[in-house]
Amino acid sequence: MTCPTCKGKSLYGPTNAFRPFCSERCKNLDFGAWASESFAVPDPTPPDDQPFGDPRLQ
């Protein structure tokens, strides 16, 4: 299988302790991106200080 971080070859099996990643480095890079919220999904709702919905109806 392909490593999600470096796109190199990765063994997806019980002998690879870092699966689905190819190495500890790739696993840590992915975790760092997740922890810094680089993988955040955009939220379409406005902040609390802005009105929500169609302004003509308010």
Side-chain angles (χ1 to χ4, degrees):
M1 94 174 277
T2 303
C3 175
T5 302
C6 72
K7 308 302 184 219
K9 291 184 179 181
S10 177
L11 175 65
Y12 192 84
T15 57
N16 181 4
F18 310 111
R19 68 180 178 254
F21 305 99
C22 64
S23 65
E24 184 177 16
R25 177 185 174 275
C26 284
K27 183 178 180 179
N28 288 337
L29 286 172
D30 184 81
F31 181 69
W34 176 82
S36 67
E37 297 182 358
S38 295
F39 292 149
V41 177
D43 186 9
T45 56
D48 290 337
D49 61 342
Q50 294 181 1
F52 182 75
D54 189 348
R56 294 176 291 169
L57 300 176
Q58 295 180 1

